[in-house]
Amino acid sequence: MLERLGLSLMHRLDPERAHALALTALRTGLAPLPGPVTSPRLATTVAGMTLLNPVGLAAGFDKNATAFGPLMRAGFGFLEVGAATPRPQPGNPRPRLFRLAQDRAAINRFGFNNDGMDAITDRLAARHHEIPVGLNLGANKDSIDRAADFATVLRHAGAHVDFATVNVSSPNTERLRDLQGKDALKGLLEGVIAVREGMARPIPVFLKIAPDLEAREIEDIAEVAQGTRISGLIATNTTRARDGLHGAHRNEAGGLSGQPLFAMSTAVLARLSDLTDGRMPIIGVGGVATAEQAYQKIRAGASAVQLYTGLVYGGLSLAAEIARGLDGLLARDGFASVAEAVGTGRADWL
């Protein structure tokens, strides 16, 4: 009841201001936290990481790693902070975040606003990680060599995180998505993996891709991913599509997230799972707001899922709610573990 009242009040505020207040509530202990959520069915391993449950927090919610301490006790199985760029940058001018309540969606054009890798790394290093905490790697908008920025951030912060994500799929930094092209992507990932292999404690590295890809582009990404020794894929980032939306903000520039993204992102996920024969871990993100949707992602080929926009409408308790609901769905269908269910419904999405 209190969370619903709080959400109602938050939705009367500017979205970016409301998000800042939510982070403040977490840091000051005002947000109720359920603690770990797990069971023998929910506990799983993804790219060598042991997870209490497969429900994670997507990058962007805690951009600057200022609230990941309390977030570790919010029912998630893993967290991703960032994106972090080598140098701090303010991002795009405000307003740059818009709610589409009727569509249970959001549009953002933040443009990698963050405090920079130095400040973010210091925060990540300052406390013990009770669950896996990863860092989304980004590139500065005015960088001369954007591909090198990803390796730079990993080199600087890698010792203090449990996994890293190469984010070349944000639609809000001009020409960033050009790095998803086969040759450019291969060179970029080889540079990042070279840094990873030189670390005292090599960590999993994921590649996050866009949903707005042609069939041939998805095939190229699957080929490059398998040939460069990355640990897995994250499917997908936000979309530029605007089909069937409602409300005054439906045509704002930026990336669309939330419910309208679910089917598109899940289809890309299933295609990648098929192309890699289910051998490469995939984290499914895009439109997950219920246990059933998390379950659909897993059965389409995801080893784990991530939330973000769903929290805007469902509140922070959504993570634990989805994890517990997922446990029940696995039990209902006779699966002894998450891993047993991965990919069992992939054909439905191809």
Side-chain angles (χ1 to χ4, degrees):
M1 177 67 76
L2 287 175
E3 184 177 49
R4 297 298 168 194
L5 178 59
L7 285 172
S8 177
L9 293 173
M10 288 285 197
H11 285 189
R12 298 178 186 179
L13 301 175
D14 167 76
E16 193 164 352
R17 173 63 176 156
H19 183 74
L21 286 174
L23 292 175
T24 299
L26 278 163
R27 290 193 297 268
T28 56
L30 294 177
L33 303 172
V37 176
T38 192
S39 75
R41 274 183 296 269
L42 291 176
T44 191
T45 301
V46 177
M49 298 185 296
T50 300
L51 310 182
L52 295 175
N53 69 64
V55 181
L57 178 66
F61 185 89
D62 188 13
K63 284 179 177 288
N64 292 308
T66 61
F68 76 95
L71 282 167
M72 288 189 285
R73 300 185 295 278
F76 293 103
F78 64 107
L79 307 175
E80 186 176 344
V81 302
T85 55
R87 289 172 284 106
Q89 61 183 22
N92 294 321
R94 299 190 189 199
R96 53 193 179 182
L97 177 61
F98 307 90
R99 298 187 199 95
L100 284 73
Q102 190 172 345
D103 302 295
R104 309 291 278 188
I107 293 172
N108 90 81
R109 51 171 181 262
F110 284 117
F112 280 170
N113 58 307
N114 73 104
D115 292 344
M117 66 182 185
D118 289 337
I120 292 172
T121 300
D122 287 347
R123 293 169 192 145
L124 288 165
R127 66 179 304 146
H128 171 69
H129 297 182
E130 300 162 27
I131 60 174
V133 178
L135 178 63
N136 193 281
L137 313 176
N140 281 118
K141 183 176 182 179
D142 59 354
S143 177
I144 296 173
D145 186 352
R146 287 182 179 172
D149 280 4
F150 297 92
T152 296
V153 178
L154 180 61
R155 186 179 298 110
H156 189 79
H160 306 292
V161 293
D162 303 296
F163 69 94
T165 299
V166 175
N167 184 2
V168 293
S169 52
S170 169
N172 300 316
T173 297
E174 186 179 358
R175 300 190 66 84
L176 181 70
R177 288 190 174 187
D178 291 353
L179 294 174
Q180 291 179 121
K182 188 174 183 180
D183 292 338
L185 183 60
K186 184 174 183 291
L188 186 157
L189 290 177
E190 286 175 345
V192 171
I193 294 301
V195 171
R196 193 270 303 275
E197 296 305 312
M199 293 169 57
R201 180 180 62 94
I203 59 174
V205 172
F206 293 86
L207 170 66
K208 189 169 187 174
I209 69 166
D212 311 294
L213 297 171
E214 301 293 333
R216 182 64 209 174
E217 293 173 312
I218 296 174
E219 291 169 7
D220 286 346
I221 285 172
E223 180 183 336
V224 170
Q226 293 176 101
T228 52
R229 293 174 292 124
I230 67 167
S231 309
L233 296 161
I234 299 181
T236 65
N237 212 318
T238 58
T239 178
R240 292 188 173 115
R242 294 292 187 271
D243 300 335
L245 297 180
H246 307 85
H249 299 303
R250 63 186 179 276
N251 292 319
E252 291 286 349
L256 173 71
S257 60
Q259 291 303 293
L261 183 58
F262 180 79
M264 178 189 298
S265 64
T266 308
V268 172
L269 156 66
R271 180 63 177 144
L272 286 168
S273 178
D274 187 53
L275 288 167
T276 58
D277 295 322
R279 294 191 300 267
M280 178 165 282
I282 303 173
I283 297 174
V285 58
V288 177
T290 67
E292 179 60 42
Q293 287 175 320
Y295 190 44
Q296 287 187 57
K297 294 271 190 192
I298 289 167
R299 296 194 67 238
S303 298
V305 300
Q306 289 179 318
L307 319 178
Y308 184 174
T309 303
L311 302 175
V312 173
Y313 299 102
L316 198 58
S317 64
L318 187 64
E321 178 183 318
I322 288 177
R324 293 182 182 119
L326 180 59
D327 190 47
L329 290 168
L330 291 166
R332 181 196 69 187
D333 291 347
F335 293 114
S337 68
V338 172
E340 280 189 9
V342 174
T344 55
R346 185 172 67 196
D348 296 338
W349 291 93
L350 295 176

